Structures are given as C-alpha cells and as structure tokens.
C-alpha cells in the first residue's frame, strides 16, 4: 500500500513538471511573436532597464564588495599554512572564484530574490485585476507586451551587473588587504594579473546570459498564470523565486560540466 501511494505521488509530481514545462514553452512561443509596434516596446524596454537593472546596482555592489573581501581573507587563511606559497595567490584565487562562480551564479540568485519576485508579483497583480484580460480583448498580445521587454532588459542589464560585480569584488579584496595589512598591494595586483584566461571570462558571460533569460521568464510564467486573489499573487512570487533559484543551480551544474568538465 505504501509503495502504491509513493508511486501515485511520484506520478503526480512528474505530471505537474511536464504540465508546467509544456505551458512554459508555449508561453515563450507567444512571447516571441513579432511585436506589433516597435516604438511602444522601445519605451517599455527603457522602463524595464530602470526597474530591473539600474535599481539593482546598489545591492549588487554592496554584496560584491563584502564577499570579495571575505574571499580574500579566506584565501589568506588557507595559504598561511605554507611558507612556500606567495601572497600573490590571494589575488589570483579571489579573481578566479569571482569570475568562475560567485559573480555569475551567486549574484544571479540574489537578483532572483529582488527582481524575480518583482516580475512575478507585478504580472500576477495585472492578472488578478483583469488588466491582462483587457489587453487580450483589445487584440494586444499580452504575453509579448508584458514579458518581452523584461527579457530584453534582463539580457542587457544582468551581464553588465555581473561583470561589474567581478571588478567590485576584486576591489573589495584589495581594500581589506589595505585595511588589515595582511598582504601588500603589489602582491595582490600581481596575483590578479597572473593566469588570465579569456575562456574563463567567456564562461562567466555565457552563464550570465543564460541566467538572465531564466530570471526574466520563469517568474513571468508564474505571474502570468496566477489564479485567484492577492494572496495567490504572493504564493506565486514565492514559488517563482524558489523554482528559479533551483533551475539556476541545476543549469550551473550542467553548464560547468559541459564547458569545464
């Protein structure tokens, strides 16, 4: 009996995954239909760049600065066990960690919490107040009108924010070295200049674009199909943040295995 109940639960979960995956891709097909008036979309994209991108700069800078400092201190503690390893490795390790993992993945997850919940709740509110139904009645492709500007704005802004977070994180590592006096600036700069790899930078930018698309579309999907009232909008936002974060972590593993494995 327990095995039967477990089988039914697994089947139900699989059914829900397939159902949501199919609906997600059908929504994307509707989103990428040709825009009706390019001028209107241009204005919407500019507004979304402000709402999704420039408004996140302060948060991203704050997190990157302190995490860069923490990474540099952690590297110093790890390298201090050996007298054969130079201090330049602190700068080198901090740079590599920021480029390969922290900036593209952790900053994206932070953006999910801020931007993803905003996207889901704003579209969900339009759904429960029947504004989306009104757009459909007027013959406007509501999916493209609401979601496409968010996708374009995210693809423009998020990779830029992530590249800035790398620079700010490296600066944070240098700053904590100056404050504590644990390592010299010349050693830290030497480490940053050591072992530069353009492929690692490409890998980071590539992940940034993939994650930006996920952050823009998955919360939009949950907001677009929300059903009920304001309480359901809140639930949809929470669900969107959780599933977007999970999807980013899974994609991070897949992309890392394909490109670096």
């Amino acid at each position: 009996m327990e095995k039967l109940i477990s089988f039914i639960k697994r089947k139900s979960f699989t059914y829900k995954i397939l159902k949501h995956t199919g609906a997600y891709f059908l929504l994307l097909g509707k989103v990428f239909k040709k825009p009706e008036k390019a001028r209107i979309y241009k204005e919407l994209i500019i507004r979304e760049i402000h709402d999704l991108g420039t408004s996140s700069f302060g948060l991203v800078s704050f997190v990157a600065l302190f995490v860069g400092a923490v990474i540099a201190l952690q590297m110093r503690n790890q390298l201090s066990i050996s007298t054969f390893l130079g201090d330049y490795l602190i700068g080198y390790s901090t740079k590599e960690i920021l480029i390969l993992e922290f900036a593209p993945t952790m900053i994206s997850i932070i953006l999910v919490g801020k931007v993803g919940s905003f996207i889901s709740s704003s579209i969900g509110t339009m759904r429960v107040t029947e504004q989306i139904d009104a757009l459909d009645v007027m013959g406007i492709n509501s999916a493209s009108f609401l979601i496409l500007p968010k996708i374009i704005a995210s693809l423009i802004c998020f990779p830029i924010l992530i590249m800035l977070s790398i620079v700010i994180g490296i600066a944070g590592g240098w700053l904590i070295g100056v404050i504590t006096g644990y390592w010299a600036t010349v050693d830290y700069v030497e480490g940053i200049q050591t072992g530069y790899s353009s492929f690692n930078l490409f890998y980071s930018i590539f992940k940034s674009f993939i994650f930006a698309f996920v952050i823009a579309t998955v919360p939009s999907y949950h907001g677009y199909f929300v059903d009920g009232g304001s309480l359901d909008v809140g639930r949809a936002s929470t669900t969107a943040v959780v599933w977007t974060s999970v999807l980013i972590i899974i994609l991070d593993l897949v992309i890392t295995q394909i490109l670096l494995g």
Side-chain angles (χ1 to χ4, degrees), residues 108 151 154-155 158-159 207-217:
S108 293
I151 295 175
S154 298
L155 291 175
F158 293 171
K207 284 206 302 185
S208 301
F209 276 107
I210 298 295
F211 295 161
F213 185 81
V214 171
I215 293 172
T217 55

Side-chain angles (χ1 to χ4, degrees), residues 27 38 44 47 76 78 93-94 106 134 173 179 194 201 209 224 229 234 236-237 240 249 251 254:
L27 178 64
L44 291 172
R47 189 182 69 183
R76 186 257 180 186
Q78 296 298 320
S93 301
T94 302
M106 297 308 297
I179 293 173
T194 301
L201 196 59
F209 276 107
Y224 192 82
S237 298
I249 292 171
L251 287 173
V254 173

Side-chain angles (χ1 to χ4, degrees), residues 171-237:
W174 165 77
L175 186 62
I176 195 65
V178 172
I179 293 173
T180 60
Y182 287 155
W183 55 85
T185 297
V186 63
D187 293 329
Y188 190 78
V189 173
E190 181 186 355
I192 293 171
Q193 296 174 335
T194 301
Y196 172 76
S197 172
S198 57
F199 179 78
N200 287 350
L201 196 59
F202 162 77
Y203 164 79
S204 182
I205 295 172
F206 179 75
K207 284 206 302 185
S208 301
F209 276 107
I210 298 295
F211 295 161
F213 185 81
V214 171
I215 293 172
T217 55
V218 175
S220 295
Y221 164 76
H222 284 280
Y224 192 82
F225 289 109
V226 69
D227 185 21
S230 57
L231 187 61
D232 297 287
V233 173
R235 288 173 178 164
S237 298

Side-chain angles (χ1 to χ4, degrees), residues 15-29 221 225:
Y15 170 76
K16 289 180 181 178
I17 291 293
L18 293 175
K19 177 184 175 183
H20 285 293
T21 302
Y24 170 76
F25 282 105
L26 286 175
L27 178 64
L28 288 184
Y221 164 76
F225 289 109

Side-chain angles (χ1 to χ4, degrees), residues 28-35 41 141 144 148:
L28 288 184
K30 192 176 177 183
V31 167
F32 287 107
K33 284 186 177 178
K34 184 180 180 182
Y41 280 81
N141 182 349
S144 180
L148 185 59

Side-chain angles (χ1 to χ4, degrees), residues 237-258:
S237 298
T238 304
T239 304
V241 170
V242 171
W243 278 107
T244 306
S245 301
V246 170
L247 194 56
I248 284 176
I249 292 171
I250 294 173
L251 287 173
D252 184 35
L253 175 63
V254 173
I255 294 171
T256 301
Q257 177 61 30
I258 292 174

